Amino acid sequence: LRQVFQKVNAATLVAKNEARLSYFLKTLLPQIQRMNQKRTMIYVPSYFDFCSLRNAFLKKKVAFVSVTEYSRGTEVSRGRARFLQGRKPIMVYTGRAHFFHRHLIKGVRHLIFFGLPEHPEFYADQVNLLQTTPTGGMDNGEDGEDDDDDDGIETMTTTSCMALFTKYDSHALERIVGTSNCKRMIASQKSTFMFYS
């Protein structure tokens, strides 16, 4: 599995959340919409980031479901079912919801870490969802219709994983990629780093 870590430039510690949101809305969201990418889960480490992202999605009329620490059981079940069935292409999942409830989200094909998790095991938990996702089943007929644009991208069986980080996220990054990789990634002029597992 290819895991992409994308460094987002943030001028100050205060501006890092806004810089991540701006990068996501200007770069990643248009790609997701252009490719009609389904089964995309966005892991959001904090509720404040979730609120910013949710408000931006509502303003842009993006179809999504969310699972937060404040969601009722029925809302979680309904959202997970709609995501698995492909009726909602994007799920926004908060770190605190995972901390308290450890939901197992099925059907994830594409994973975006809006920010790095505070607990490194949460990163592994979410990435493992991609590896256990079946390639057959419910989405064969549904996603197959969307692959007619001949852009070389097979959304039915491919998986992707991307994590956004800033230079101010070095402690969380170090817990995931290790000390030497973290130092190299923070100091580098490059903005994209790939790891394979």
Side-chain angles (χ1 to χ4, degrees), residues 79-137:
R80 289 170 63 185
R82 288 178 179 167
F83 180 72
L84 179 61
Q85 295 163 359
R87 290 189 282 162
K88 296 290 184 178
I90 297 174
M91 172 179 278
V92 182
Y93 184 54
T94 65
R96 285 176 52 92
H98 189 68
F99 181 85
F100 289 117
H101 304 292
R102 303 279 203 250
H103 296 293
L104 178 64
I105 309 298
K106 296 180 182 175
V108 179
R109 293 274 186 264
H110 309 281
L111 178 61
I112 298 171
F113 287 91
F114 187 75
L116 299 173
E118 288 183 30
H119 303 281
E121 61 271 16
F122 289 4
Y123 180 84
D125 290 347
Q126 304 313 311
V127 170
N128 286 336
L129 292 176
L130 291 171
Q131 296 173 352
T132 59
T133 302
T135 56

Coordinates of all heavy atoms in Angstrom, one line a residue, residues 79-137:
G79 N -25.2 6.6 8.8 CA -24.1 7.1 8.0 C -23.2 6.0 7.5 O -22.8 6.1 6.3
R80 N -22.9 5.0 8.3 CA -22.0 3.9 7.9 C -22.7 3.1 6.7 O -22.0 2.7 5.8 CB -21.7 3.0 9.0 CG -20.7 3.7 10.0 CD -20.6 2.9 11.3 NE -20.1 1.5 11.1 CZ -19.9 0.6 12.0 NH1 -20.4 0.9 13.2 NH2 -19.4 -0.5 11.8
A81 N -24.0 2.9 6.8 CA -24.7 2.2 5.8 C -24.7 3.0 4.5 O -24.5 2.4 3.4 CB -26.1 1.9 6.2
R82 N -25.0 4.3 4.5 CA -25.0 5.1 3.3 C -23.6 5.1 2.7 O -23.5 5.1 1.4 CB -25.5 6.5 3.6 CG -27.0 6.5 3.9 CD -27.4 7.9 4.3 NE -28.9 7.9 4.5 CZ -29.5 8.9 5.0 NH1 -28.9 10.0 5.4 NH2 -30.8 8.8 5.2
F83 N -22.6 5.2 3.5 CA -21.2 5.2 3.0 C -20.9 3.8 2.3 O -20.4 3.8 1.2 CB -20.2 5.5 4.1 CG -18.8 5.5 3.7 CD1 -18.3 6.6 2.9 CD2 -17.9 4.5 4.0 CE1 -17.0 6.6 2.5 CE2 -16.6 4.6 3.7 CZ -16.1 5.6 2.9
L84 N -21.2 2.8 3.0 CA -20.9 1.4 2.4 C -21.6 1.1 1.1 O -21.1 0.6 0.2 CB -21.2 0.3 3.5 CG -21.0 -1.1 3.1 CD1 -19.5 -1.4 2.8 CD2 -21.5 -2.1 4.2
Q85 N -22.9 1.6 1.1 CA -23.7 1.4 -0.1 C -23.3 2.3 -1.3 O -23.8 2.2 -2.4 CB -25.2 1.5 0.2 CG -25.7 0.4 1.2 CD -27.0 0.8 1.8 OE1 -27.6 1.9 1.6 NE2 -27.5 -0.1 2.7
G86 N -22.5 3.3 -1.0 CA -22.1 4.2 -2.0 C -23.1 5.4 -2.3 O -22.9 6.2 -3.2
R87 N -24.1 5.5 -1.4 CA -25.0 6.6 -1.6 C -24.4 8.0 -1.2 O -24.8 9.0 -1.7 CB -26.3 6.4 -0.8 CG -27.1 5.2 -1.4 CD -28.5 5.1 -0.7 NE -28.3 4.5 0.5 CZ -29.2 4.5 1.5 NH1 -30.3 5.2 1.4 NH2 -29.0 3.9 2.6
K88 N -23.4 7.9 -0.3 CA -22.6 9.1 0.1 C -21.2 8.8 -0.2 O -20.6 7.9 0.4 CB -22.9 9.4 1.6 CG -24.3 9.8 2.0 CD -24.7 11.2 1.4 CE -26.1 11.5 1.9 NZ -26.5 12.8 1.4
P89 N -20.5 9.6 -1.0 CA -19.2 9.2 -1.4 C -18.1 9.5 -0.4 O -17.0 9.0 -0.4 CB -19.0 10.1 -2.7 CG -19.9 11.2 -2.5 CD -21.1 10.7 -1.7
I90 N -18.4 10.4 0.6 CA -17.4 10.9 1.5 C -17.9 10.7 2.9 O -19.0 11.0 3.3 CB -17.0 12.4 1.3 CG1 -16.4 12.6 -0.1 CG2 -16.1 12.9 2.4 CD1 -16.2 14.0 -0.5
M91 N -17.0 10.1 3.8 CA -17.3 10.1 5.2 C -16.2 10.9 6.0 O -15.0 10.7 5.7 CB -17.3 8.6 5.7 CG -17.4 8.6 7.3 SD -17.4 7.0 8.0 CE -19.1 6.6 7.7
V92 N -16.7 11.7 6.9 CA -15.8 12.5 7.7 C -15.8 11.8 9.1 O -16.9 11.7 9.7 CB -16.2 14.0 7.8 CG1 -15.2 14.7 8.7 CG2 -16.2 14.6 6.4
Y93 N -14.7 11.4 9.6 CA -14.6 10.6 10.8 C -13.6 11.3 11.8 O -12.5 11.6 11.4 CB -14.1 9.2 10.5 CG -14.1 8.2 11.6 CD1 -15.2 7.9 12.4 CD2 -12.9 7.5 11.9 CE1 -15.1 7.0 13.4 CE2 -12.8 6.5 12.9 CZ -13.9 6.3 13.6 OH -13.9 5.4 14.6
T94 N -14.1 11.6 13.0 CA -13.2 12.3 13.9 C -12.4 11.4 14.8 O -12.8 10.2 15.1 CB -14.0 13.2 14.9 OG1 -14.9 12.4 15.7 CG2 -14.9 14.2 14.1
G95 N -11.2 11.9 15.2 CA -10.3 11.1 16.1 C -10.9 10.8 17.4 O -10.7 9.7 18.0
R96 N -11.7 11.7 18.0 CA -12.4 11.4 19.3 C -13.4 10.3 19.2 O -13.6 9.5 20.1 CB -12.9 12.7 19.9 CG -11.8 13.6 20.4 CD -12.4 14.9 20.9 NE -13.5 14.8 21.9 CZ -13.3 14.8 23.2 NH1 -12.1 14.8 23.7 NH2 -14.4 14.7 24.0
A97 N -14.1 10.3 18.0 CA -15.1 9.2 17.8 C -14.4 7.9 17.8 O -14.8 6.9 18.4 CB -15.8 9.4 16.5
H98 N -13.2 7.8 17.2 CA -12.4 6.6 17.2 C -11.9 6.3 18.6 O -11.8 5.1 19.0 CB -11.3 6.7 16.2 CG -10.6 5.4 16.0 ND1 -11.2 4.3 15.4 CD2 -9.3 5.0 16.3 CE1 -10.3 3.3 15.3 NE2 -9.2 3.7 15.9
F99 N -11.5 7.3 19.3 CA -10.9 7.1 20.6 C -12.0 6.5 21.6 O -11.7 5.5 22.3 CB -10.4 8.4 21.2 CG -9.8 8.4 22.6 CD1 -8.5 8.0 22.7 CD2 -10.6 8.6 23.7 CE1 -7.9 7.9 24.0 CE2 -10.1 8.5 25.0 CZ -8.7 8.2 25.1
F100 N -13.2 7.0 21.5 CA -14.2 6.5 22.4 C -15.0 5.3 21.9 O -15.4 4.5 22.7 CB -15.2 7.6 22.7 CG -14.7 8.7 23.5 CD1 -14.6 10.0 23.0 CD2 -14.3 8.5 24.8 CE1 -14.1 11.0 23.8 CE2 -13.8 9.5 25.6 CZ -13.6 10.8 25.1
H101 N -15.1 5.1 20.6 CA -16.0 4.1 20.1 C -15.3 3.0 19.2 O -15.9 2.0 19.0 CB -17.2 4.7 19.4 CG -18.0 5.7 20.2 ND1 -18.7 5.3 21.3 CD2 -18.1 7.0 20.1 CE1 -19.3 6.4 21.8 NE2 -18.9 7.5 21.1
R102 N -14.2 3.3 18.7 CA -13.5 2.4 17.8 C -14.4 1.8 16.7 O -14.5 0.6 16.5 CB -12.8 1.3 18.6 CG -11.9 1.7 19.7 CD -10.5 2.0 19.1 NE -9.5 1.9 20.2 CZ -8.9 2.9 20.7 NH1 -9.1 4.1 20.3 NH2 -8.0 2.7 21.6
H103 N -15.1 2.7 16.0 CA -16.0 2.2 14.9 C -15.1 1.5 13.8 O -14.0 2.0 13.5 CB -16.7 3.4 14.3 CG -17.7 4.0 15.2 ND1 -18.8 3.4 15.7 CD2 -17.6 5.3 15.7 CE1 -19.4 4.3 16.5 NE2 -18.8 5.4 16.5
L104 N -15.6 0.4 13.3 CA -15.0 -0.2 12.2 C -15.8 0.2 10.9 O -16.9 -0.2 10.7 CB -15.1 -1.8 12.3 CG -14.5 -2.6 11.2 CD1 -13.0 -2.3 11.0 CD2 -14.8 -4.1 11.4
I105 N -15.2 1.0 10.1 CA -15.8 1.6 9.0 C -15.5 0.7 7.8 O -14.4 0.6 7.4 CB -15.3 3.0 8.7 CG1 -15.4 3.9 9.9 CG2 -16.1 3.6 7.5 CD1 -16.8 4.1 10.5
K106 N -16.5 0.1 7.2 CA -16.4 -0.8 6.1 C -16.5 0.0 4.8 O -17.2 1.0 4.7 CB -17.4 -1.9 6.1 CG -17.2 -2.8 7.3 CD -18.3 -3.9 7.3 CE -18.2 -4.8 8.6 NZ -19.2 -5.7 8.6
G107 N -15.9 -0.5 3.7 CA -16.0 0.0 2.4 C -15.0 1.1 2.0 O -15.2 1.8 1.0
V108 N -14.0 1.4 2.9 CA -13.1 2.5 2.6 C -12.1 2.1 1.5 O -11.5 1.1 1.5 CB -12.3 2.9 3.9 CG1 -11.3 4.0 3.6 CG2 -13.2 3.2 5.0
R109 N -12.1 2.9 0.4 CA -11.2 2.7 -0.7 C -10.1 3.8 -0.7 O -8.9 3.6 -1.1 CB -11.9 2.9 -2.0 CG -12.9 1.8 -2.3 CD -12.2 0.6 -2.9 NE -13.1 -0.4 -3.3 CZ -13.5 -1.5 -2.6 NH1 -12.9 -1.6 -1.4 NH2 -14.4 -2.3 -3.0
H110 N -10.4 5.0 -0.2 CA -9.5 6.1 -0.2 C -9.5 6.8 1.2 O -10.6 7.1 1.7 CB -9.8 7.1 -1.3 CG -10.0 6.5 -2.7 ND1 -9.0 6.2 -3.5 CD2 -11.2 6.1 -3.3 CE1 -9.4 5.6 -4.6 NE2 -10.8 5.6 -4.5
L111 N -8.3 7.0 1.7 CA -8.2 7.5 3.1 C -7.4 8.8 3.0 O -6.3 8.8 2.5 CB -7.5 6.4 4.0 CG -7.3 6.8 5.4 CD1 -8.6 7.1 6.2 CD2 -6.6 5.7 6.1
I112 N -7.9 9.8 3.6 CA -7.2 11.1 3.7 C -7.2 11.5 5.2 O -8.2 11.5 5.9 CB -7.9 12.2 2.9 CG1 -7.9 11.8 1.5 CG2 -7.2 13.5 3.2 CD1 -8.8 12.8 0.6
F113 N -6.0 11.7 5.7 CA -5.8 12.2 7.1 C -5.7 13.7 6.9 O -4.7 14.2 6.5 CB -4.5 11.6 7.7 CG -4.6 10.2 8.1 CD1 -4.2 9.2 7.2 CD2 -5.1 9.8 9.4 CE1 -4.3 7.8 7.6 CE2 -5.2 8.5 9.7 CZ -4.8 7.5 8.8
F114 N -6.8 14.4 7.4 CA -6.8 15.8 7.3 C -5.7 16.4 8.2 O -5.2 17.5 8.0 CB -8.2 16.3 7.8 CG -8.4 17.8 7.6 CD1 -8.6 18.3 6.3 CD2 -8.4 18.6 8.7 CE1 -8.8 19.7 6.2 CE2 -8.5 20.0 8.5 CZ -8.8 20.5 7.2
G115 N -5.4 15.7 9.3 CA -4.3 16.0 10.2 C -3.8 14.7 10.8 O -4.5 13.7 10.7
L116 N -2.6 14.7 11.3 CA -2.1 13.4 11.9 C -2.8 13.1 13.2 O -3.0 14.0 14.0 CB -0.6 13.5 12.0 CG 0.2 13.7 10.7 CD1 1.6 14.0 11.0 CD2 0.0 12.6 9.8
P117 N -3.1 11.8 13.5 CA -3.7 11.5 14.8 C -2.7 11.7 15.9 O -1.5 11.5 15.7 CB -4.0 10.0 14.6 CG -3.6 9.6 13.3 CD -2.9 10.7 12.6
E118 N -3.2 12.0 17.1 CA -2.4 12.2 18.3 C -1.8 10.8 18.7 O -0.7 10.8 19.2 CB -3.2 12.7 19.4 CG -3.6 14.2 19.2 CD -4.3 14.8 20.4 OE1 -4.1 14.3 21.6 OE2 -5.1 15.6 20.2
H119 N -2.5 9.8 18.5 CA -2.1 8.4 18.9 C -1.7 7.7 17.7 O -2.5 7.5 16.8 CB -3.2 7.7 19.7 CG -3.7 8.4 20.9 ND1 -3.1 8.4 22.1 CD2 -4.8 9.2 21.0 CE1 -3.7 9.1 22.9 NE2 -4.8 9.6 22.3
P120 N -0.4 7.2 17.6 CA 0.1 6.6 16.4 C -0.7 5.3 16.0 O -0.8 5.0 14.8 CB 1.5 6.3 16.7 CG 1.6 6.3 18.2 CD 0.6 7.2 18.7
E121 N -1.2 4.6 17.0 CA -2.0 3.4 16.7 C -3.3 3.7 15.9 O -3.8 2.9 15.2 CB -2.3 2.5 17.9 CG -3.1 3.2 19.0 CD -2.3 4.0 20.0 OE1 -1.2 4.3 19.8 OE2 -2.9 4.4 21.0
F122 N -3.8 4.9 16.0 CA -5.0 5.3 15.3 C -4.7 5.4 13.8 O -5.5 5.1 12.9 CB -5.5 6.7 15.7 CG -6.2 6.6 17.1 CD1 -6.2 5.5 17.9 CD2 -6.7 7.8 17.6 CE1 -6.7 5.4 19.1 CE2 -7.3 7.7 18.9 CZ -7.3 6.6 19.6
Y123 N -3.4 5.8 13.4 CA -3.0 5.8 12.0 C -3.1 4.4 11.5 O -3.6 4.1 10.4 CB -1.6 6.4 11.9 CG -1.1 6.4 10.5 CD1 -1.5 7.5 9.7 CD2 -0.3 5.4 9.9 CE1 -1.0 7.6 8.3 CE2 0.1 5.5 8.6 CZ -0.3 6.6 7.8 OH 0.1 6.6 6.5
A124 N -2.5 3.4 12.2 CA -2.5 2.0 11.7 C -3.9 1.5 11.7 O -4.2 0.8 10.7 CB -1.6 1.2 12.7
D125 N -4.8 1.8 12.6 CA -6.1 1.4 12.6 C -6.8 1.8 11.3 O -7.6 1.0 10.7 CB -6.9 1.9 13.8 CG -6.5 1.4 15.1 OD1 -5.8 0.3 15.2 OD2 -6.9 1.9 16.2
Q126 N -6.7 3.0 10.9 CA -7.4 3.5 9.7 C -6.8 2.9 8.5 O -7.5 2.6 7.5 CB -7.3 5.1 9.7 CG -7.9 5.7 10.9 CD -9.2 5.2 11.4 OE1 -10.1 5.0 10.6 NE2 -9.4 4.8 12.7
V127 N -5.5 2.8 8.4 CA -4.8 2.3 7.2 C -5.2 0.8 7.0 O -5.4 0.4 5.9 CB -3.3 2.5 7.3 CG1 -2.6 1.7 6.2 CG2 -2.9 3.9 7.2
N128 N -5.4 0.1 8.1 CA -5.8 -1.3 8.0 C -7.2 -1.5 7.5 O -7.5 -2.5 7.0 CB -5.6 -2.0 9.4 CG -4.2 -2.3 9.7 OD1 -3.3 -2.3 8.9 ND2 -3.9 -2.4 11.0
L129 N -8.0 -0.4 7.6 CA -9.3 -0.5 7.0 C -9.2 -0.7 5.5 O -10.0 -1.3 4.8 CB -10.1 0.7 7.3 CG -10.6 0.9 8.7 CD1 -11.3 2.3 8.9 CD2 -11.5 -0.2 9.2
L130 N -8.2 0.0 4.9 CA -8.0 -0.1 3.4 C -7.6 -1.6 3.0 O -8.1 -2.1 2.0 CB -6.9 0.8 3.0 CG -7.2 2.3 3.0 CD1 -5.9 3.1 2.8 CD2 -8.3 2.7 2.0
Q131 N -6.8 -2.2 3.8 CA -6.3 -3.5 3.5 C -7.4 -4.6 3.6 O -7.3 -5.6 3.0 CB -5.1 -3.9 4.3 CG -3.9 -2.9 4.1 CD -2.8 -3.1 5.0 OE1 -2.9 -3.9 6.0 NE2 -1.7 -2.5 4.7
T132 N -8.4 -4.4 4.5 CA -9.4 -5.4 4.7 C -10.6 -5.1 3.9 O -11.6 -5.9 4.0 CB -9.8 -5.4 6.2 OG1 -10.3 -4.2 6.6 CG2 -8.6 -5.9 7.1
T133 N -10.6 -4.1 3.1 CA -11.8 -3.8 2.3 C -11.9 -4.8 1.1 O -11.0 -5.0 0.4 CB -11.7 -2.3 1.7 OG1 -11.5 -1.5 2.8 CG2 -12.9 -2.0 0.9
P134 N -13.0 -5.4 1.0 CA -13.2 -6.4 -0.2 C -13.2 -5.7 -1.5 O -13.7 -4.6 -1.6 CB -14.5 -7.1 0.1 CG -15.3 -6.1 1.0 CD -14.2 -5.3 1.8
T135 N -12.7 -6.4 -2.5 CA -12.7 -5.8 -3.9 C -14.0 -6.1 -4.6 O -14.3 -5.5 -5.6 CB -11.5 -6.2 -4.7 OG1 -11.6 -7.7 -4.7 CG2 -10.2 -5.7 -4.1
G136 N -14.8 -7.1 -4.2 CA -16.0 -7.4 -4.9 C -17.2 -6.9 -4.1 O -17.1 -6.1 -3.2
G137 N -18.3 -7.6 -4.3 CA -19.5 -7.3 -3.5 C -20.3 -6.1 -4.0 O -20.6 -6.0 -5.2

